[in-house]
Amino acid sequence: MPSGTFYKDEPFDDTYPDPKNITVGKSSINGGSGNSDGGGVNNTGPTPTMATPYLSTKTWPALPEATSDSSEEGSSFPDQEYIRLLDATLLFYEAQRSGRLPSDQRVKWRNDSALLDGKDAGIDLTGGYYDAGDYLKFIFPLTFSLTEICYGGIDFFEGYVLADKTHHLDQMIRWGTDWLIKAHPNNNTLYVQVGVSEVDNNYWGPDTGIPMPRPSYFVSNLKPGTDVMADAAAAFASCSVLYREKFKDMEYAATLQRHAEALFSVAETALPQQTYQTVIPAASCCYASTGYLDELAWGAAWMYRLTNNPVYAAKASHYISEYSKIEHGSIILPVTWDDKTGLVYILMAGLTQGTAEGVQWQALAEKFGNFVIHAPKPCAFTSGGMYYCYGYSGDDTSVVAANAAFAMNLLANNMDIWLKNNKYSTNMTNTLENETRGKIEAYRSFALRQVRYLLGDNPEKTPYIVGVHPNSPKNPHSSLAAGGRSTDRIDTDPLNEAHILLGALVGGPDKNDRFQDLRSNWRQNEVALDYNAPFTSLMAYQVMSSHDPPPYATVAAGRPPHGVLVADMPVWKLILIIILIASILFLTAMYIFYYRRSDIHLWFVTLRKRLQGEKVNNHHHGRGSGGRGRNSGPMSATTTFDEKRQVRSSSSRSFPSFRNDGEDDTISGESYDKWGGGRRGSLPLEINSNDRSMIGGARRGSLPMNASSSGGRRGSIPIMISINNTDTTTNTSTATVNTNTANTNGDIEVHETTETTTTATGGFFGKAKSILRPPPLTVLKKASPEAAAASGKIYDLESAPGSSSSSALLLARQSAYPSTPLTPPTPMTSSGDAILQPAQSHY
């Protein structure tokens, strides 16, 4: 391969540069010797050592010979590999050129292309840059890219001087700004797009067969695109500053300034103010803007930098204030082509140092800086250390990290200048100086960490710059470089990329630091103008500040193997999450079993008794009998309640039937056929209660004889009652009575009772507690002689005073002596009524 030429049409293999052949200077960056007569950089310093733990049979293709017309001298000997990287990033822009290529084009595999652009509109729109891996032209990402590169050129111009790359920086910027001038044919019109995605996305091939049509789209004072006009004004203004202050080209600087002033004026005055895709729907495919206030602030800040007119400073402050109130409030967002607020803070803080406004801008800049370096939501650091923002990094992780690093270097640079200017100020205390230096160090450390990650210090051991290392991406998503012809087989046609797109920063890895080197994976492997823009400025800064080689210099060829991902997550992390969840569940269970052990015991006992009762019901079906033998054996009743707390059915016989005449078979006086589902010989039970305060605690199988008693003596009437409370819905109730006999006092004597059980909603423990919740007090109301004669009952059962129970059925029957009236205890009221309390279950 001839020296001094760019990559030919050969696939990249395992070649790698020989560190001994890397020199710096105008005469040779390709292996020659001699000092530069343009940049003032000598090559007498030590050659950086670079580990080469693998064998290479070829030498890395030499970079083109560097030229420079700058006479400024550098201050130190830079690392030579960063010089190569800076040159490579500028070469990427040469590979993206559209139109008729110049004679000094260094990327020789490119061809003249898109020579009819603008013809449909009657203007010349040839030239400029293709946006990404396709053949579309968009102003919105182009203007932001140019502004970032000109901003970096102003602040880090020394890096371009040290690398002897000022000439190539000039060429790169002019190729973009010359086209912007074409796209702004008059004060009121700006062309913002050439080509349409529906056509372009169906083509995968070289630049010699770009499909038609390629329509041209514009905004104007009659159909405004506020955001894109203000952003273009920022590009013209920033590059005007660069040409005026660094390149000393006053004529070109003045031309750029005229375009900046005209565009910013239209952006402010053309109504309605709106996003440009409102009038250019075709732009929504790729670069739809979310708002225009940040672009207006961005444009105003650069107009202030260009003119030093305080009116623009006030405008920048106004638009940022409106942005905060209308668009995002106090939320801080990462820097992207769509949001420039972080850079506005930094730019204005640097421009207003020493003023009252400067204090406010510096506070905003440092707030943004703290947001970046600490990475709060929606941002975070990946396991490998990359700055990642959810909702922003999904399609281009590399550029989000690069933009953040670029912004932090700018902020640190501003603060360093402020320290130098105020070093001898009476207000400069040691504490303030140390605090400021600590912030500067934090910002620069963050930026360096991101640069090192992008250059190979990452889990993939991959520099995400094409062509600088064997582990670099070999299959960038680029129609220009791939050399294929089929949109269906872009990964395999051809197997190897036809051309090496040297210096292109690809989209980058995912949130798990994983990278897939496939052309079809455009999220991770596409290239774009705005990807390389911050990275180019970062490399200029690295030339200024770094004397060590980039991380990939010590990385062996070959990416490390990785574990399996499950649900987009490493297996070890998934196992850890499962263990944590299991531990939480175990601790929760232990807490429940320990602190609710009495309730759990109650629940199990109740369940066991219910199962025993069901078993009895399944085995004893003698008509009119509850068991084997007279007055023996279990007799059970199951009562079902619905939501309205009404008894609906009664299954299985609970008490033996003593009447065969079909007359009333219930104590309450309600007829048998009013109850649904019960067979003769069963007794339904309905108890509705909303009050627990009147409940006493009677012992098992007893009935208290007076109101003051908490428990009755054995041998009294047991009343088994299930209740419905306001917070539960009772489903079933079961009562089992063995043998009933009458004592000499006429009381009913029960020798064994199976307590009532209920199933209630309201939670696991709510169900268990409702099982033994005592019913409310009831009153055994003395009936009138006429009612007693008619019903055969001397007493009726009613709710006690203070109880909300609507009705109750006494679950008892004079089985031994049915004709003997029930004798109540001593009356507790003047009317002869007695208060009865149901027996309480004991387990």
Short mmCIF file of all heavy atoms in Angstrom, two decimals, residues 566-588:
data_model
loop_
_atom_site.label_atom_id
_atom_site.label_comp_id
_atom_site.label_asym_id
_atom_site.label_seq_id
_atom_site.Cartn_x
_atom_site.Cartn_y
_atom_site.Cartn_z
N VAL A 566 -30.25 -13.32 30.30
CA VAL A 566 -31.64 -13.75 30.40
C VAL A 566 -32.47 -12.50 30.68
O VAL A 566 -32.22 -11.79 31.65
CB VAL A 566 -31.83 -14.78 31.53
CG1 VAL A 566 -33.31 -15.16 31.65
CG2 VAL A 566 -30.98 -16.00 31.28
N ALA A 567 -33.46 -12.26 29.80
CA ALA A 567 -34.28 -11.04 29.93
C ALA A 567 -33.40 -9.80 29.94
O ALA A 567 -33.57 -8.90 30.77
CB ALA A 567 -35.15 -11.11 31.18
N ASP A 568 -32.43 -9.79 29.03
CA ASP A 568 -31.52 -8.64 28.91
C ASP A 568 -30.75 -8.39 30.19
O ASP A 568 -30.44 -7.26 30.52
CB ASP A 568 -32.30 -7.39 28.50
CG ASP A 568 -31.38 -6.31 27.93
OD1 ASP A 568 -30.32 -6.68 27.37
OD2 ASP A 568 -31.72 -5.13 28.03
N MET A 569 -30.42 -9.47 30.89
CA MET A 569 -29.76 -9.33 32.18
C MET A 569 -28.77 -10.49 32.33
O MET A 569 -29.08 -11.63 32.00
CB MET A 569 -30.78 -9.36 33.30
CG MET A 569 -30.23 -9.08 34.68
SD MET A 569 -31.56 -9.17 35.92
CE MET A 569 -32.66 -7.88 35.32
N PRO A 570 -27.57 -10.24 32.86
CA PRO A 570 -26.63 -11.35 33.11
C PRO A 570 -27.23 -12.37 34.07
O PRO A 570 -27.99 -12.03 34.98
CB PRO A 570 -25.42 -10.64 33.73
CG PRO A 570 -25.55 -9.22 33.31
CD PRO A 570 -27.01 -8.94 33.19
N VAL A 571 -26.88 -13.63 33.86
CA VAL A 571 -27.44 -14.70 34.67
C VAL A 571 -27.11 -14.49 36.15
O VAL A 571 -27.95 -14.71 37.03
CB VAL A 571 -26.91 -16.07 34.18
CG1 VAL A 571 -27.37 -17.18 35.12
CG2 VAL A 571 -27.40 -16.35 32.77
N TRP A 572 -25.87 -14.06 36.44
CA TRP A 572 -25.49 -13.89 37.84
C TRP A 572 -26.36 -12.83 38.52
O TRP A 572 -26.72 -12.96 39.69
CB TRP A 572 -24.02 -13.51 37.96
CG TRP A 572 -23.68 -12.13 37.43
CD1 TRP A 572 -23.25 -11.81 36.18
CD2 TRP A 572 -23.78 -10.89 38.16
NE1 TRP A 572 -23.06 -10.46 36.07
CE2 TRP A 572 -23.37 -9.86 37.26
CE3 TRP A 572 -24.15 -10.55 39.46
CZ2 TRP A 572 -23.33 -8.52 37.63
CZ3 TRP A 572 -24.11 -9.20 39.83
CH2 TRP A 572 -23.70 -8.21 38.92
N LYS A 573 -26.72 -11.80 37.76
CA LYS A 573 -27.56 -10.75 38.34
C LYS A 573 -28.97 -11.27 38.55
O LYS A 573 -29.62 -10.94 39.55
CB LYS A 573 -27.55 -9.54 37.42
CG LYS A 573 -28.24 -8.32 38.02
CD LYS A 573 -28.15 -7.12 37.09
CE LYS A 573 -26.73 -6.60 36.97
NZ LYS A 573 -26.66 -5.34 36.20
N LEU A 574 -29.45 -12.09 37.58
CA LEU A 574 -30.78 -12.67 37.72
C LEU A 574 -30.83 -13.59 38.95
O LEU A 574 -31.80 -13.56 39.72
CB LEU A 574 -31.14 -13.44 36.46
CG LEU A 574 -32.56 -14.02 36.39
CD1 LEU A 574 -33.59 -12.91 36.39
CD2 LEU A 574 -32.72 -14.89 35.14
N ILE A 575 -29.78 -14.41 39.13
CA ILE A 575 -29.74 -15.31 40.29
C ILE A 575 -29.72 -14.50 41.58
O ILE A 575 -30.38 -14.83 42.57
CB ILE A 575 -28.50 -16.22 40.20
CG1 ILE A 575 -28.65 -17.19 39.01
CG2 ILE A 575 -28.30 -16.99 41.50
CD1 ILE A 575 -27.42 -18.03 38.76
N LEU A 576 -28.96 -13.41 41.58
CA LEU A 576 -28.90 -12.57 42.77
C LEU A 576 -30.26 -11.98 43.10
O LEU A 576 -30.67 -11.94 44.27
CB LEU A 576 -27.87 -11.45 42.55
CG LEU A 576 -27.70 -10.45 43.72
CD1 LEU A 576 -27.21 -11.18 44.96
CD2 LEU A 576 -26.72 -9.35 43.32
N ILE A 577 -30.99 -11.55 42.07
CA ILE A 577 -32.32 -10.99 42.30
C ILE A 577 -33.26 -12.06 42.86
O ILE A 577 -34.04 -11.80 43.79
CB ILE A 577 -32.88 -10.41 40.99
CG1 ILE A 577 -32.09 -9.16 40.59
CG2 ILE A 577 -34.35 -10.08 41.12
CD1 ILE A 577 -32.48 -8.59 39.25
N ILE A 578 -33.16 -13.29 42.31
CA ILE A 578 -34.01 -14.37 42.81
C ILE A 578 -33.69 -14.66 44.27
O ILE A 578 -34.59 -14.87 45.10
CB ILE A 578 -33.82 -15.63 41.95
CG1 ILE A 578 -34.37 -15.39 40.53
CG2 ILE A 578 -34.50 -16.84 42.58
CD1 ILE A 578 -34.10 -16.51 39.56
N ILE A 579 -32.40 -14.69 44.61
CA ILE A 579 -32.00 -14.95 46.00
C ILE A 579 -32.53 -13.85 46.92
O ILE A 579 -33.04 -14.12 48.02
CB ILE A 579 -30.47 -15.06 46.11
CG1 ILE A 579 -29.99 -16.34 45.39
CG2 ILE A 579 -30.03 -15.07 47.56
CD1 ILE A 579 -28.49 -16.45 45.32
N LEU A 580 -32.45 -12.60 46.47
CA LEU A 580 -32.95 -11.50 47.29
C LEU A 580 -34.45 -11.60 47.51
O LEU A 580 -34.95 -11.40 48.62
CB LEU A 580 -32.59 -10.17 46.63
CG LEU A 580 -31.12 -9.77 46.66
CD1 LEU A 580 -30.89 -8.49 45.86
CD2 LEU A 580 -30.62 -9.58 48.09
N ILE A 581 -35.17 -11.92 46.43
CA ILE A 581 -36.63 -12.06 46.56
C ILE A 581 -36.97 -13.20 47.50
O ILE A 581 -37.85 -13.08 48.37
CB ILE A 581 -37.27 -12.28 45.17
CG1 ILE A 581 -37.10 -11.02 44.31
CG2 ILE A 581 -38.74 -12.65 45.30
CD1 ILE A 581 -37.59 -11.19 42.89
N ALA A 582 -36.27 -14.35 47.34
CA ALA A 582 -36.53 -15.49 48.21
C ALA A 582 -36.22 -15.15 49.67
O ALA A 582 -36.95 -15.55 50.59
CB ALA A 582 -35.70 -16.68 47.76
N SER A 583 -35.15 -14.39 49.90
CA SER A 583 -34.79 -14.00 51.26
C SER A 583 -35.86 -13.10 51.87
O SER A 583 -36.23 -13.26 53.03
CB SER A 583 -33.44 -13.28 51.25
OG SER A 583 -32.42 -14.11 50.76
N ILE A 584 -36.37 -12.18 51.07
CA ILE A 584 -37.42 -11.28 51.57
C ILE A 584 -38.67 -12.07 51.92
O ILE A 584 -39.30 -11.85 52.96
CB ILE A 584 -37.72 -10.19 50.52
CG1 ILE A 584 -36.51 -9.26 50.38
CG2 ILE A 584 -38.97 -9.40 50.91
CD1 ILE A 584 -36.64 -8.26 49.24
N LEU A 585 -39.05 -13.01 51.04
CA LEU A 585 -40.22 -13.83 51.31
C LEU A 585 -40.03 -14.67 52.56
O LEU A 585 -40.95 -14.83 53.37
CB LEU A 585 -40.52 -14.72 50.10
CG LEU A 585 -40.99 -14.00 48.83
CD1 LEU A 585 -41.15 -14.99 47.70
CD2 LEU A 585 -42.31 -13.28 49.09
N PHE A 586 -38.82 -15.23 52.73
CA PHE A 586 -38.55 -16.06 53.90
C PHE A 586 -38.64 -15.23 55.19
O PHE A 586 -39.25 -15.64 56.17
CB PHE A 586 -37.16 -16.69 53.77
CG PHE A 586 -36.73 -17.47 54.99
CD1 PHE A 586 -37.24 -18.72 55.25
CD2 PHE A 586 -35.80 -16.93 55.88
CE1 PHE A 586 -36.86 -19.43 56.37
CE2 PHE A 586 -35.41 -17.63 57.00
CZ PHE A 586 -35.93 -18.89 57.25
N LEU A 587 -38.01 -14.05 55.18
CA LEU A 587 -38.06 -13.19 56.36
C LEU A 587 -39.49 -12.75 56.66
O LEU A 587 -39.89 -12.66 57.83
CB LEU A 587 -37.15 -11.98 56.17
CG LEU A 587 -35.64 -12.29 56.10
CD1 LEU A 587 -34.87 -11.03 55.76
CD2 LEU A 587 -35.16 -12.89 57.42
N THR A 588 -40.25 -12.46 55.60
CA THR A 588 -41.64 -12.08 55.80
C THR A 588 -42.43 -13.22 56.44
O THR A 588 -43.23 -13.02 57.36
CB THR A 588 -42.27 -11.67 54.46
OG1 THR A 588 -41.52 -10.60 53.89
CG2 THR A 588 -43.72 -11.24 54.65
#
